[in-house]
Amino acid sequence: VTIDVNEKAATEVLYILTAKMSYNGETATLPYERRVPKFQELTYAEYATKEKGDAVVVKGIVVGILSKAAGDTVDGLFLHTPEGGFYIYGVANTDVTPMTEYKLGQEVRASGTMDIYNGTLEVKDAVCEILNATPVAYEAVDYTEAFKNAADATLEAIGAPQAMLVTLKDVTISDIEQTREFVGTYQ
């Protein structure tokens, strides 16, 4: 039996499947309650509050593409919004939309599972949909003041731009071992 349910419904969809079983002349039924949550694209702020394993739907402008065919270890996307960025780890539907169809500047929606890997928020194993195939211009967000004023390098302090295109002006960045220092403007 195939049940066709609108996964993008504006309200929650509740339905009951009833299994009818017969054996040696006896019949029994067993109902299963099913729920399809209402379709909701999350803002970066809403996304950042989700727990590992939660279903999430996000959208943004493609500012980075990873492709196994190009030698990367995963098919993935970096989606940019002015509020925060989304790292899509593992595009799940490359058989439908090959990675070669994704272009910088396209608007893409990703539906997957929230994951946190080494402090990085990710949308894991996402089904991605190109919403606007015509690339649009996008600009880096000036993140200089937030970066300069951050007390530390935690997700809470400066995590929003983890997959965004940002500009940092007149800041000093040192590597973990403090063996090199870079000063200047970065984009």
Side-chain angles (χ1 to χ4, degrees), residues 26-46:
E26 293 186 34
T27 302
T29 59
L30 182 61
Y32 295 93
E33 290 187 15
R34 308 303 296 162
R35 180 179 75 83
V36 178
K38 79 174 186 174
F39 180 78
Q40 178 184 6
E41 290 175 349
L42 303 173
T43 65
Y44 179 81
E46 292 166 332

Side-chain angles (χ1 to χ4, degrees), residues 50-113:
K50 295 298 181 181
E51 300 289 325
K52 186 173 182 171
D54 286 350
V56 294
V57 179
V58 299
K59 74 176 177 181
I61 303 298
V62 176
V63 294
I65 302 168
L66 300 172
S67 172
K68 290 180 186 176
D72 295 307
T73 58
V74 68
D75 289 325
L77 298 169
F78 294 92
L79 303 182
H80 170 92
T81 73
E83 298 79 35
F86 307 107
Y87 173 42
I88 312 305
Y89 179 84
V91 176
N93 58 322
T94 56
D95 56 331
V96 177
T97 307
M99 292 306 293
T100 54
E101 290 190 29
Y102 294 98
K103 307 290 183 230
L104 298 179
Q106 291 177 328
E107 184 178 36
V108 170
R109 176 186 297 131
S111 303
T113 304

